Structures are given as C-alpha cells and as structure tokens.
C-alpha cells in the first residue's frame, strides 16, 4: 500500500523567508497530491493540489512541485507571514481508486515576526 | 453552503464506556471517510463509505470499532469498551464523487479523551 513520508517535522522561519516541505511516496499509481493546512484545533483545509500530468503549480505565495520519477513532491511558501503558522500535511492518492488518501505525518511551521 | 459537521466536538469517556460519534457530510456527497488523528500525527484512514455501502474498513483498529451510514448521508462511528489508546481526534471527510481528483472536505473533528 501507499506510504507517504514527510520532512521536516518542524520548521521555524523568519517572517519574509521561504519555507519548503518535502514528501515522498511509494505507490507508483499515485497521481493526485493535495496539501492541507491545519491550524490549531481546526479542520484540515486544502491549500493546493497537483496532478501527475503537471510538474509545478503555483497559487500566489504557495507552489507545489512534483517529480514522478523520484516519487517526491514539495510545498514551497514564499514571503512567509505569521498567519502561515500551522501544521501542513501532504497526501497522495491513486485516482483510479475510490479515494483513499495516505497522509504524511505533518510539518509544524512556525513563522516568527 | 454548510460544510461537514461533527458532533460532539469533545467527548470524555471513562475506560470501558461505549461512545458514538456523528458525522453530517456535505449534502449530495457520495463518499464519506473516517480518520483517526493522534496528537502530532497525520490523519490515519479508518473506513470509507460510498453512499450506504461500507467499501473499506481495513483501517479500523479492532472489532470494538464499528461505523455505519444506513441512509447514505449521516454516519456514525461507534467505539465499544473504550480504551485509553482510543484517545484521539476523529475526523470525518466527504467528497463527491470519490474517484478522480475530488477534494476531501473535512469536518472539525471530535476530540475523544478516554480516562
């Protein structure tokens, strides 16, 4: 089955700097990779996703890159702000399946002013 | 429109008690998932429904865990004879239709504490 590893587990950055979170997956059938942001005590919310036919996707300060050959994908946050502080989860899924996601263990991002 | 809702938001149970956790998915969403999230960890899959059919329950940790969705909308996760290791946040998510590139919408979770 799918196994998703996520690094680092914690990440402290100065406001304005960039943050990068990396995930690797094992199932070569995986072709959909969403990223979720979870603030303390709140539900996970989708912030960006990427499909396997695309190598990079950007949405304002957030970008995701995918390397299918190496089976890894990364989240990039530029110009970080204090409100970016949260736990970020990557996930992977094979879209020919009914939808079982495998999640990474999460990265606690702390942005200090 | 309304998102996924869960109740109760917090539940404290004494070891050995039975609990029932409710999930109201987004109206019209075919797929419903239950996850268990331990402190500092990502969501771990428990079980999946497509309408009223439970298609996968491979993630349920023991036969003390039981889930149902009798009418294909509201779902209940029941835990019998709760143990301390059951303490976690239980997340429900729904999507339409489930296959393909469909986003999962999460509920706020139920935080279960077993004392």
């Amino acid at each position: 089955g799918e196994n998703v590893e996520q690094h680092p587990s914690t990440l402290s950055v100065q406001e304005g700097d960039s943050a990068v979170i990396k995930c690797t997956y094992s199932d070569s059938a995986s072709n959909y990779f969403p990223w979720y942001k979870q603030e303390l005590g709140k539900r996970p919310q989708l912030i960006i996703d990427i499909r396997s036919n695309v190598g990079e996707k950007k949405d304002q300060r957030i970008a995701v890159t995918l390397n299918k050959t190496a089976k890894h994908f990364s989240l990039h946050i530029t110009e970080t702000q204090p409100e970016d502080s949260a736990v970020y989860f990557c996930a992977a899924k094979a879209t020919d399946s009914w939808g079982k996601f495998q999640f990474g263990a999460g990265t606690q991002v702390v942005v200090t002013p | 429109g309304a998102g996924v809702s869960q109740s109760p938001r917090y539940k404290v149970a004494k070891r050995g008690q039975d609990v029932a956790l409710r999930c109201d998915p987004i109206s019209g969403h075919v797929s419903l998932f239950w996850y268990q999230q331990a402190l500092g960890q990502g969501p771990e899959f428990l079980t999946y429904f497509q309408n009223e059919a439970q298609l996968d329950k491979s993630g349920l940790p023991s036969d003390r865990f039981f889930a149902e969705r009798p009418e294909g909308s509201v779902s209940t996760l029941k835990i019998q004879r709760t143990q301390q290791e059951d303490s976690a946040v239980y997340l429900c998510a729904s999507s339409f239709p489930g296959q393909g590139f469909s986003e999962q919408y999460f509920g706020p979770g139920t935080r279960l504490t077993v004392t």
Side-chain angles (χ1 to χ4, degrees), chain B residues 11 16 24-25 28 34-36 38 51 55 60 69 71-74 84-86 88 93 106 112:
Chain B
K11 177 69 179 177
D24 284 83
W34 283 99
Y35 294 90
Q36 181 189 62
N51 295 307
L55 298 187
L60 296 177
R69 194 186 186 198
E71 298 179 357
S73 55
V74 171
Q84 284 192 317
E85 61 262 29
D86 300 335
F106 283 89
L112 173 65

Side-chain angles (χ1 to χ4, degrees), chain B residues 15-17 64 79-87 114:
Chain B
R15 191 174 63 176
Q17 284 185 331
R64 295 186 296 105
I79 309 174
Q80 297 177 323
R81 304 181 303 281
T82 52
Q83 303 293 316
Q84 284 192 317
E85 61 262 29
D86 300 335
S87 296
V114 181

Side-chain angles (χ1 to χ4, degrees), chain A residues 32 36 92-103, chain B residues 31-33 35 45 47-48 50 55-56 93 95 97-104:
Chain A
Y32 177 57
Y36 287 83
K93 173 190 147 177
T95 56
D96 60 353
S97 73
W98 43 257
K100 180 177 177 178
F101 285 78
Q102 292 287 349
F103 285 83
Chain B
S31 299
L32 186 146
F33 304 82
Y35 294 90
F45 170 81
T47 187
Y48 161 73
Q50 184 171 334
L55 298 187
D56 190 329
S95 69
Q99 283 195 328
F101 302 108
S102 51
E103 177 182 351
Q104 290 196 359

